[in-house]
Amino acid sequence: MKKLCIASTNKGKIWELKSLLDGVFELYLLEDFGALPEAEEPFESFLKNAKNKAKHYAKFTGMPTFSEDAGLCVRALNLFPGVRSKRFIAESGGEQNAFARLENMLAAKDDRRAEFVCVSVIFDPQSGQIFTGKGAMQGEIRFPAQGASGFGFDPIFTPVGYQQTIAELGETVKSAIGHRGKSVRALLKNYREKMSS
Ligand code: IMP
């Protein structure tokens, strides 16, 4: 089985990604390589950030390295926070404060539609090959926050066709209908097609 390092420092993501990639690759985590300098996310594009992270960490792992960039895009806020989701939570001083800020920003807006976007990348430092996959999940933002599963904005996001938030629906549903599951499945398709041609 081929080796793959999951290059993420987000525990919620690692949990989800392991369940999606286990059995396909022999998985490693960044902690297997000691303390590494954290990758930056300077770009206004999920794809560019994901590639940047995979290439950064592959310098240290020396093996095919998986990275992804994800975020919540709110329609009425011009797709904000989007690629800035992580910074938005950090600058707000944590998730609860970020939820409160979003609630304020949406107070005068009727349109609560939003989508989660995830772009996944595998970079192979030996061959220089890059494999990519994108996934999205449509839904709407609802307050107050509900549910304890998942991470990030999951407690305020209700997917289309459901009445509960992702944090209430749980990991099995999230993996089946969520942006990360779709993104990783598209990535694996791209990987298998390129490897067999
Ligand atoms: P990044 O991809 O590490 O830059 O993460 C961006 C931020 O978006 C995370 O810190 C989360 O707050 C949020 N985010 C990304 N994916 C999800 C998700 O699946 N559920 C909820 N929030 C997410």
Side-chain angles (χ1 to χ4, degrees), residues 67-86:
S67 197
E68 54 93 288
D69 198 39
L72 175 72
C73 305
V74 182
R75 287 237 194 156
L77 303 178
N78 270 331
L79 308 185
F80 182 83
V83 287
R84 299 187 190 148
S85 294
K86 192 173 165 184

Side-chain angles (χ1 to χ4, degrees), residues 69-128:
D69 198 39
L72 175 72
C73 305
V74 182
R75 287 237 194 156
L77 303 178
N78 270 331
L79 308 185
F80 182 83
V83 287
R84 299 187 190 148
S85 294
K86 192 173 165 184
R87 266 170 283 167
F88 177 67
I89 291 184
E91 284 162 13
S92 303
E95 279 154 14
Q96 296 307 320
N97 291 344
F99 298 165
R101 276 180 77 191
L102 272 183
E103 191 168 9
N104 261 333
M105 293 162 91
L106 287 170
K109 320 251 187 208
D110 292 330
D111 185 357
R112 296 300 171 96
R113 287 173 298 170
E115 68 172 354
F116 271 123
V117 175
C118 177
V119 176
S120 301
V121 166
I122 292 175
F123 174 64
D124 183 344
Q126 304 296 329
S127 66

